[in-house]
Amino acid sequence: MMIRTLFRSGGSFLQQSRRTAPRLWVSPVQQRWASSLPMNTVVLFVPQQEAWVVERMGRFHRILEPGLNFLIPVLDRIRYVQSLKEIVIDVPEQSAVSLDNVTLQIDGVLYLRILDPFKASYGVEDPEYAVTQLAQTTMRSELGKLTLDKVFRERESLNANIVHSINQASDEWGIRCLRYEIKDIHVPPRVKESMQMQVEAERKKRATVLESEGTRESAINVAEGRKQAQILASEGEKTEQINKAAGEAQAILAKAEAKAKAIHVLSDALAEQNGNAAASLTVAEQYVSAFSNLAKESNTVLLPSNTGDISSMVTQAMAVYGKLAKTSPKSPPGEVEKSEDVLNEPEYK
């Protein structure tokens, strides 16, 4: 029963101390870093993600962990309360000069966390103010290394460089900078106008280049189309000529084979019985046909002396044929064709 009463009294004292006790840093911005300092009620309950720094007789004694803790009255005193959560700090807007002498107004947001409550309490008087000033000076120094165009293009590398520089100095304070983000970058109005003009000129240049490239591509496509059309037309003509020549060659070959077969059949017929009579009849028919075609294809007409004597003409042709048959009884087809042409030729005077 006495222990329960003691815990209740300790809790009431703790709540009253949180309402009435002064804070570690007086400025409103610094109130993020510590809660109100609780009083020593012997039995204390430390919240999660907080570290309470205890001094005994004015000297650092220990850091209270979250949960139940006991202190000695009068001798022990809670001197600092540090938050172990991630802390967000707004870096005020400041002016900086770039490498090409352009004045910029820039602000940012800083994210940090306390890793060592002892160093954060005794390593620096005002941790937030120190980190804020360090972020501003580092930002100015990093912006002085870049031109205006690179400031906008290399914001990520600029943020990384600022974080690296802050961590190098804040290790002694027990603070770790997690990241830094640039919020706004304001340029002078004249510089802004010149940048807009530059952007417009660049866009016009790109439009002109794209239009010229489109015209060039169109001309190339038209020329390529004409070239392909000519190639296809020439290939078509070539194929047509090849096919035509092949057809003519096949026709000539067919005619030659037919003529050779006709000559062969004629020679077989002449070798049979009454072949001479058939040859005489054929010569007489060709003579009459040739005589009937005179003066139809030309104005010049050559007539034999004995035009009306058909029997003498047939007798003469048969005499020539008989002489050829006696000299070469088995003449090749070429000679037979030649003798046939001789028979077909009439005698002119």
Side-chain angles (χ1 to χ4, degrees):
M1 189 70 179
M2 293 178 63
I3 296 174
R4 185 180 300 176
T5 305
L6 182 61
F7 283 167
R8 289 179 179 177
S9 61
S12 62
F13 278 118
L14 178 61
Q15 293 177 359
Q16 184 178 2
S17 64
R18 286 182 179 273
R19 289 193 300 266
T20 60
R23 295 186 179 274
L24 177 61
W25 296 294
V26 180
S27 63
V29 179
Q30 298 170 356
Q31 291 179 1
R32 299 194 198 98
W33 285 79
S35 305
S36 24
L37 297 177
M39 294 181 63
N40 184 358
T41 59
V42 182
V43 179
L44 298 175
F45 299 95
V46 179
Q48 185 67 31
Q49 290 298 98
E50 284 192 6
W52 292 5
V53 180
V54 178
E55 292 181 355
R56 176 169 291 180
M57 293 182 294
R59 185 177 180 181
F60 173 76
H61 175 58
R62 69 191 179 100
I63 298 175
L64 300 182
E65 299 294 334
L68 178 63
N69 293 274
F70 298 95
L71 295 179
I72 301 175
V74 181
L75 298 181
D76 293 339
R77 177 189 176 189
I78 301 173
R79 186 68 179 84
Y80 299 98
V81 175
Q82 303 290 357
S83 176
L84 302 181
K85 300 177 182 179
E86 186 174 346
I87 302 171
V88 182
I89 301 176
D90 289 329
V91 179
E93 187 178 19
Q94 62 174 341
S95 62
V97 181
S98 62
L99 184 62
D100 50 355
N101 297 325
V102 178
T103 303
L104 304 175
Q105 297 292 330
I106 188 169
D107 58 356
V109 180
L110 186 64
Y111 300 85
L112 50 88
R113 175 177 292 170
I114 296 177
L115 301 180
D116 191 344
F118 176 79
K119 291 183 179 181
S121 301
Y122 298 100
V124 62
E125 181 66 25
D126 190 343
E128 182 176 354
Y129 179 75
V131 173
T132 304
Q133 294 299 316
L134 181 60
Q136 289 181 338
T137 55
T138 305
M139 186 191 303
R140 282 194 293 267
S141 63
E142 291 295 332
L143 286 176
K145 300 176 184 178
L146 301 175
T147 59
L148 180 60
D149 296 335
K150 290 185 177 180
V151 169
F152 292 99
R153 291 198 303 264
E154 300 182 2
R155 294 181 67 168
E156 294 184 1
S157 61
L158 181 61
N159 295 336
N161 294 335
I162 294 174
V163 170
H164 179 69
S165 301
I166 292 175
N167 286 330
Q168 286 182 343
S170 62
D171 287 339
E172 298 296 329
W173 304 337
I175 301 173
R176 184 70 177 177
C177 181
L178 302 179
R179 57 190 177 275
Y180 179 86
E181 297 292 338
I182 297 175
K183 289 200 302 183
D184 296 320
I185 300 176
H186 302 283
V187 297
R190 293 185 179 179
V191 177
K192 189 174 181 180
E193 292 177 0
S194 63
M195 292 175 63
Q196 291 178 353
M197 294 175 62
Q198 182 179 0
V199 171
E200 292 179 359
E202 186 68 22
R203 289 179 179 175
K204 291 181 180 179
K205 175 183 175 182
R206 291 180 182 178
T208 305
V209 172
L210 291 176
E211 184 178 359
S212 63
E213 290 180 355
T215 304
R216 185 187 65 177
E217 291 294 333
S218 176
I220 291 175
N221 292 335
V222 172
E224 189 70 22
R226 292 178 179 176
K227 177 182 176 182
Q228 293 295 332
Q230 292 179 357
I231 292 174
L232 293 176
S234 62
E235 290 180 355
E237 186 178 357
K238 175 183 176 181
T239 305
E240 182 181 0
Q241 292 179 358
I242 291 174
N243 295 334
K244 185 177 180 181
E248 292 178 354
Q250 292 179 359
I252 293 174
L253 181 61
K255 291 180 179 179
E257 291 178 355
K259 192 171 184 180
K261 290 181 180 180
I263 293 173
H264 182 70
V265 171
L266 180 62
S267 63
D268 292 342
L270 292 177
E272 293 178 356
Q273 188 178 3
N274 299 325
N276 293 330
S280 300
L281 177 60
T282 303
V283 170
E285 290 178 352
Q286 291 180 356
Y287 177 80
V288 173
S289 175
F291 188 79
S292 63
N293 291 329
L294 292 176
K296 288 185 178 180
E297 298 180 356
S298 175
N299 295 328
T300 303
V301 178
L302 297 177
L303 297 176
S305 57
N306 52 353
T307 306
D309 192 1
I310 298 176
S311 60
S312 62
M313 294 296 299
V314 172
T315 302
Q316 184 179 0
M318 293 303 297
V320 173
Y321 173 74
K323 291 181 180 181
L324 292 176
K326 290 179 180 179
T327 55
S328 56
K330 295 183 180 179
S331 300
E335 294 183 1
V336 174
E337 180 181 1
K338 185 176 180 181
S339 62
E340 183 180 357
D341 294 338
V342 172
L343 293 175
N344 294 333
E345 182 177 1
E347 181 180 358
Y348 298 99
K349 182 178 180 179

